[in-house]
Amino acid sequence: MYNEKVMEHFENPRNVGEIAEADGVGQVGNPVCGDIMRISIKVKDDRIQDIKFKTFGCGAAIATSSMVTELVKGKTLDEALAISNRTVADALGGLPPVKMHCSNLAADALHLAIDDYRRRHGQGDGTDASVKDKVAAGSDEDKCPGCCGKIGRAVAEGPRPAE
Amino acid sequence: MTSERVIAGMATSDGGGAGERFRSVYLDHAATTPVRREVAEAMAHYMLTDYGNASSVHSFGRRAAEATEEARARVADLMGARPEEVVFMSGGTEADNMSIRGSLAAYSDRGRHVVTTKIEHHAVLHTCEELEKEGLAEVTYLPVDRTATVDPDDVAKAIRPDTVLVSVMFANNEVGTIQPIMEIGRTCREKGVLFHTDAVQAFGAVPFSVDEMGIDLMSVSSHKLYGPKGVGALYVRKGRRIRPLIHGGGHERKRRAGTSNVPGVVGFGLAAELARKEMDDRVRRLTALRDRLIDGLLGRVEFSHLNGHPTRRLPNNVNVSFEFVEGESILLSLDKKGIAASSGSACTSGSLEPSHVLLAMGIPPEVAHGSVRMTLGTQNTDEDVDYVLEVLPGVIERLRAMSPLHAKAVAERAREAAGRPGERCESGPVTPGAR
């Protein structure tokens, strides 16, 4: 079902955890759907200095979370924002079609984390409001036909003080 | 024996390297079972030597026909039925289709109402839905309680003057709950409606008596009791009418056209015979393994719950939900350790929603996503159970360490313990099927 690269990331996920004093946190998904991805970032000089994820979900959900952290570590925020769910799936060598819809949301979580960071650092709420809208609505590309309409699959979490 | 099926494992980068060895433990006997060697050998004879068409007049045909009838008698024996009440067909799905569609067609003068449950196999549910779409049936889908048990009173209340058929499964394929078949059968007899039961999971697993249980129609399948795939049977009580689904020659007393699958039927017959002879031993052994596995898992893993009835369940069924983790992740991890299981999560059900059975039981979707079904078989041993008990808690622990839900729940619990109730999760997990 999954290719070797996906399985490799599933078995040895990179950057698991939660950054204690994160600069930004983003979370997408819903336990009812069976997928939640939470990404926390540490930003320095407009670059992602550290990134960690926690994910509740299937093999694809875990593998995409792991891959997105690997893809953006050390990148500038704008470079990170350019990464889409599709980019993540491609970097994994592809996912089964059904998983493209449900479990491939890691980039959305990342974008929310960046959005959170910018809002907290006085870069305004509007810097990337489109990200939040996209995530909240479910982008066309990644629409989840089963649950989007019914329960709203993406839950954008507001700013929260670092624990 | 499973204990001898120790195979060389794949090298994994977090594992012990190329020389790592682990057990191979098959725990998906509700999906299908291995064919018993003597069954496969008996079948081979009717493919290689006595390969005649059972409808033919010549000696090849006669030998095939004799073998078919012997098999029919064996299957009937395990049902507590008469051979002429057994109709061979392609499997449990066809038997379910024929029971519902065939009895509605035969008794259209009585009405078109069917009573069934929300936890039936899709072979029953989708047949009912299709008949509704075609305007040929009105269907009542009964609820179940937290243990997946149907209330016989609900069945009685749902029966109307135009009810033709009640269809309630004998035992559930996912959570193993055995239904109060005797009571439901009695109700149907009193109300004068046909009673069908999908006994695909229970046949060969627990003792049967169609007469005592008041069963009119019953679907069974060969590959769940160590027989071959592609063959099953429908029990039709003498005197009950049924319209065929498949038309053609006059096979199976004009109830199911198509050349007899002689090797398949012979294999099914022998598998049924073995099940009958070994019944007591199998029930005793599997029940002990099952309970040790259930108790071991619930004892070793916190935030885990048994799904289904604690005692009125199939001897081989273990279904446990592990909160805060998702079923497919568990299955992939177990598979890497040589353990084959299944799950009711959306990802593994092939749909976008978790198991309809778990949801009908009132189990929250997020808990249903973390369900794992392990169904034991005659080849499983105590060592297999030990191995699962050794491996599974670590798998859950690893996945929980990755899960944002787990940390939150642990923190909430700590807050509660400190006497400061924290903010509750909107759809907080509830303990299903508490033992």
Side-chain angles (χ1 to χ4, degrees), chain B residues 221-256:
Chain B
S221 175
S222 151
H223 76 105
K224 310 289 191 189
L225 55 139
Y226 310 93
K229 295 168 182 60
V231 59
L234 178 61
Y235 161 80
V236 184
R237 178 172 294 281
K238 198 173 178 207
R240 304 293 185 268
R241 285 176 283 138
I242 192 147
R243 284 274 287 274
L245 281 185
I246 313 262
H247 304 277
H251 313 86
E252 297 292 309
R253 295 166 193 262
K254 298 185 181 170
R255 289 181 292 194
R256 207 285 188 174

Side-chain angles (χ1 to χ4, degrees), chain B residues 88-158:
Chain B
F88 285 122
M89 52 191 64
S90 67
T93 293
E94 185 184 339
D96 283 341
N97 271 261
M98 183 167 170
S99 298
I100 300 165
R101 193 174 281 273
S103 57
L104 281 174
Y107 291 94
S108 57
D109 54 320
R110 291 188 184 178
R112 55 177 189 179
H113 182 236
V114 176
V115 176
T116 187
T117 78
K118 290 182 177 172
I119 58 159
E120 297 299 311
H121 189 274
H122 286 131
V124 167
L125 287 180
H126 289 171
T127 299
C128 287
E129 286 162 17
E130 179 60 24
L131 286 163
E132 285 179 295
K133 272 187 221 152
E134 291 173 23
L136 297 174
E138 281 173 49
V139 185
T140 301
Y141 300 91
L142 296 176
V144 292
D145 68 12
R146 197 75 190 192
T147 68
T149 307
V150 180
D151 185 344
D153 286 344
D154 285 349
V155 176
K157 282 181 211 144

Side-chain angles (χ1 to χ4, degrees), chain B residues 276-332:
Chain B
R276 193 177 59 78
K277 285 183 180 159
E278 298 169 8
M279 178 73 70
D280 292 347
D281 181 52
R282 287 189 197 179
V283 169
R284 195 170 45 241
R285 279 197 60 239
L286 291 174
T287 305
L289 291 175
R290 176 196 76 186
D291 290 342
R292 207 159 70 76
L293 185 51
I294 291 172
D295 293 342
L297 288 174
L298 298 186
R300 281 170 174 77
V301 185
E302 60 172 356
F303 299 111
S304 62
H305 317 281
L306 178 69
N307 295 318
H309 198 281
T311 52
R312 285 200 302 271
R313 68 187 299 133
L314 288 173
N316 74 337
N317 179 290
V318 177
N319 189 312
V320 174
S321 275
F322 300 98
E323 288 184 52
F324 322 122
V325 289
E326 193 276 335
E328 189 206 87
S329 294
I330 305 173
L331 298 191
L332 291 171

